[in-house]
Amino acid sequence: MVFSVKRLAAACAAAALIAALAGCGGGQKEAPAAGGGASGKIMIYTSIYPDIIDMVKPIIKKALPGLEVDWFQAGTEKVIAKMAGEMEAKKIAADALMVADPSYYYTLKDQKMLLNYASPAAKDVAIEKDKDGAWTPVRISNMIIAYNTSKLKAEDAPKTWKDLTDPKWKGKIAMPNPLMSGTAFVAAAALSEKYGWEYFDKLKANGLRVEEGNSAIQNKLLTGEYLAVMILEENILKMIETKKEPVKVVYPEDGVVVVPSPIGIMAASKNPAGAKAAVDWWLSKAGQETVVTGWMHSVREDVKPPNGAPALKTFYGKAVKTDWIKFSKEKEKYKEEFRTRVIEK
């Protein structure tokens, strides 16, 4: 996969995006996103952080003025639990779904819960997508290692996932809970496949702490309670850019855990035309530039990386392998293994 290495300065990119959406010129103006005539109301269930949703709302409203978009936001596992309840009751309120566990979309497709839709913009998506259009990657989040630069020198920071088992980190390492976080689930499943569950046994013996989510971990990284953590890249990039916090990303030499989070339309959608318009916008260049301003990577080659991050191509080829079908079919097995070996031990 080839991604552009050309990058623009952060302020100029944000200004160009706003100008393009407003049709005012002065930047790299693109054609209006498809779906501008969509109308009615849709509901999107997502695990994207609330502040990112707040940032997106006026932009998507300007792109799709006739469409009212409501949101339900929660961690991936809470969204999945809500979906399970609604499917059981046959009262699905979501028109579109954007959560961070790609394996869940395989499950939904097997259950015929997703509407096949080949968005015209999907041709520009540079990574694997469902051949029937049941789901398409819409943002890329990465699980990485991070450390506090005021507590640790760069040369002393861990360089690989295995480094976290070194006794010098005993009691000072943490990760989000795979039972609560979709990206943490992917990380646990992928690393258990790469190194075996014995890897997590060693982390536990080294004092690994498990927090509910990434936000709790970033706060304790700042206080020095943790020295090195497994966390989402976007959390650390945001801390660096918006608050100038003393934290830094390590892209593990033994592979970043790359999580290409999809978007899909529910087969039960009451407004499939509106949901399709939203999918088209998210996959358009304007939509993807908005994704990047949320410190996530784009699925398109013509959109720059988030501020402070290297191009995806610099680490994608060495990413930890992910078997989404296996993760889908054996999800509860992975969770139970983590629960007994790490959380309850």
Side-chain angles (χ1 to χ4, degrees), residues 17 23 43 46 68 83 89 104 109 185 271 312:
L17 168 60
M43 169 69 80
T46 186
E68 182 179 346
M83 289 289 297
Y104 182 52
K109 183 180 180 182
F185 166 75
N271 187 0
L312 189 65

Side-chain angles (χ1 to χ4, degrees), residues 11-39:
C12 294
L17 168 60
I18 294 171
L21 290 170
C24 295
Q28 290 185 335
K29 191 174 181 179
E30 67 165 311
S39 61

Side-chain angles (χ1 to χ4, degrees), residues 77 176-181 184-185 334-336 338-339 343:
E77 293 303 320
N177 190 339
L179 279 58
M180 304 292 290
S181 162
F185 166 75
Y334 284 110
K335 288 184 174 181
E336 185 59 24
F338 189 89
R339 187 200 315 276
I343 295 178

Side-chain angles (χ1 to χ4, degrees), residues 97 99 101-114 128-131 134-135 137 260 262 322-331:
L97 182 69
V99 293
D101 177 5
S103 68
Y104 182 52
Y105 291 78
Y106 285 84
T107 302
L108 290 177
K109 183 180 180 182
D110 285 345
Q111 295 174 342
K112 303 187 186 309
M113 301 302 295
L114 295 174
E128 182 182 1
K129 46 191 170 289
D130 181 64
K131 62 181 177 58
W135 52 264
T322 45
D323 186 340
W324 302 119
I325 295 176
K326 183 175 183 180
F327 293 176
S328 170
K329 294 185 180 301
E330 300 182 13
K331 187 167 189 174

Side-chain angles (χ1 to χ4, degrees), residues 17 20-21 30-36 38 44 48 52-53 55-65 67 69 71 98 117 119-122 138 263 273-291 293 300:
L17 168 60
L21 290 170
E30 67 165 311
I44 299 177
I48 292 178
I52 306 302
I53 295 173
M55 179 186 69
V56 166
K57 283 179 178 176
I59 300 174
I60 197 169
K61 183 65 178 175
K62 188 169 289 185
L64 305 171
L67 187 66
V69 181
W71 304 81
M98 299 174 68
Y117 173 57
S119 169
V138 69
I263 187 170
K276 289 176 181 178
V279 169
D280 292 346
W281 181 80
W282 275 108
L283 298 179
S284 71
K285 189 173 182 182
Q288 288 295 295
E289 287 173 330
T290 305
V291 164
T293 59
R300 294 175 57 127

Side-chain angles (χ1 to χ4, degrees), residues 107-309:
T107 302
L108 290 177
K109 183 180 180 182
D110 285 345
Q111 295 174 342
K112 303 187 186 309
M113 301 302 295
L114 295 174
L115 178 71
N116 291 337
Y117 173 57
S119 169
K123 70 181 189 316
D124 296 312
V125 174
I127 59 176
E128 182 182 1
K129 46 191 170 289
D130 181 64
K131 62 181 177 58
D132 298 317
W135 52 264
T136 307
V138 69
R139 56 188 169 113
I140 298 175
S141 300
N142 300 302
M143 289 298 287
I144 48 82
I145 297 170
Y147 67 96
N148 186 326
T149 58
S150 68
K151 307 289 184 183
L152 203 62
K153 295 179 180 177
E155 57 266 32
D156 295 328
K159 305 297 188 298
T160 69
W161 297 114
K162 277 198 165 183
D163 284 348
L164 296 176
T165 64
D166 190 311
K168 72 178 182 179
W169 307 116
K170 191 171 182 63
K172 294 292 185 179
I173 53 176
M175 67 174 288
N177 190 339
L179 279 58
M180 304 292 290
S181 162
T183 48
F185 166 75
V186 174
L191 289 173
S192 70
E193 291 292 333
K194 184 177 179 68
Y195 291 127
W197 281 107
E198 293 76 14
Y199 171 69
F200 284 96
D201 292 339
K202 292 177 181 177
L203 289 179
K204 179 65 177 179
N206 210 24
L208 175 71
R209 296 281 299 276
V210 178
E211 299 283 355
E212 180 174 343
N214 291 279
S215 298
I217 289 177
Q218 71 181 42
N219 295 335
K220 293 182 180 179
L221 182 63
L222 281 178
T223 64
E225 183 171 341
Y226 302 139
L227 290 179
V229 297
M230 186 184 304
I231 192 171
L232 277 176
E233 176 196 34
E234 62 214 56
N235 287 61
I236 301 302
L237 295 178
K238 180 181 177 182
M239 293 169 71
I240 294 171
E241 182 170 356
T242 64
K243 297 185 178 179
K244 312 301 180 189
E245 301 286 10
V247 291
K248 189 168 184 179
V249 173
V250 174
Y251 296 89
E253 295 171 359
D254 48 352
V256 171
V257 178
V258 176
V259 187
S261 303
I263 187 170
I265 299 173
M266 302 309 298
S269 171
K270 295 179 178 61
N271 187 0
K276 289 176 181 178
V279 169
D280 292 346
W281 181 80
W282 275 108
L283 298 179
S284 71
K285 189 173 182 182
Q288 288 295 295
E289 287 173 330
T290 305
V291 164
V292 169
T293 59
W295 297 276
M296 298 168 280
H297 288 258
S298 171
V299 297
R300 294 175 57 127
E301 293 180 338
D302 56 357
V303 176
K304 67 179 181 63
N307 291 330

